[in-house]
Amino acid sequence: MTLNVLHAPTRWDLGGTEKAAELFIREHSEEFNAFGVGLHQGGPRADSLRESGYGVHEADGVDDLAEYMSEKKIDIVHSHSGDSELISTAAAEAGVPIHVRTDQFGNYFETGSDRGIDYFFYPSKTILLRTLILNNIGFEGGWEKDMAHLYNPLDVAEVTQGESL
């Protein structure tokens, strides 16, 4: 069974968070049915994904997002530093079983809280370590049930010998 995964940044601008969400859709589309949603607006990355044949929806509030999640039978919502309250409310309304969040900036909200986030990913061990330190979580363990690092995918076809720089 192939899982339906919805990637949800706040918008589809040119920033790194949006690039990571775009690459998750592009690079994992063979393993998952990957969809994208812009929570407050589209942008150039949404246009690029659509031109490549990927579905990107621009949600108009909680009800519209929940309806889209239900229509696509979403199994996992992966929010990318997006509006966690809007996403969690829509996911609960649609009955989405898992909500994970990648936070590029080391923010942390307790899992099981009213935010409805089941698991946190950080794009590097450094950002994960920073999160543990800043939130006084400690290194002894126990945090692994709520968070881990998950490297962002890389588009190696675009990596050159420096000419693009």
Side-chain angles (χ1 to χ4, degrees):
M1 175 180 114
T2 304
L3 295 173
N4 296 328
V5 180
L6 180 65
H7 292 277
T10 299
R11 61 190 64 77
W12 290 97
D13 288 332
L14 295 175
T17 299
E18 296 86 359
K19 177 68 171 180
E22 177 186 5
L23 287 174
F24 271 104
I25 290 172
R26 290 184 185 279
E27 301 300 321
H28 294 154
S29 62
E30 290 183 21
E31 294 87 6
F32 306 105
N33 294 321
F35 302 92
V37 66
L39 300 177
H40 300 296
Q41 67 186 50
R45 293 197 188 281
D47 297 340
S48 175
L49 283 165
R50 284 187 191 109
E51 288 170 10
S52 298
Y54 296 99
V56 179
H57 179 73
E58 292 177 27
D60 184 22
V62 171
D63 292 336
D64 181 56
L65 180 56
E67 185 178 316
Y68 182 75
M69 289 178 183
S70 293
E71 174 189 314
K72 297 298 183 186
K73 297 179 173 58
I74 299 299
D75 298 299
I76 300 171
V77 173
H78 185 167
S79 59
H80 296 263
S81 300
D83 185 334
S84 60
E85 185 175 336
L86 186 149
I87 297 167
S88 294
T89 302
E93 196 173 299
V96 176
I98 300 172
H99 178 186
V100 299
R101 178 180 174 97
T102 294
D103 198 296
Q104 321 299 14
F105 308 107
N107 295 317
Y108 175 69
F109 308 99
E110 290 184 45
T111 57
S113 70
D114 60 344
R115 294 186 183 270
I117 301 169
D118 298 302
Y119 205 80
F120 287 88
F121 292 115
Y122 299 93
S124 71
K125 289 181 180 178
T126 302
I127 294 174
L128 174 59
L129 179 63
R130 176 184 182 277
T131 303
L132 294 174
I133 292 169
L134 291 179
N135 293 281
N136 297 315
I137 295 171
F139 306 112
E140 300 78 46
W143 53 265
E144 298 93 342
K145 68 180 177 36
D146 294 328
M147 61 180 114
H149 73 280
L150 174 67
Y151 294 119
N152 290 333
L154 297 175
D155 185 351
V156 294
E158 290 189 16
V159 177
T160 65
Q161 297 298 315
E163 297 99 26
S164 66
L165 299 176

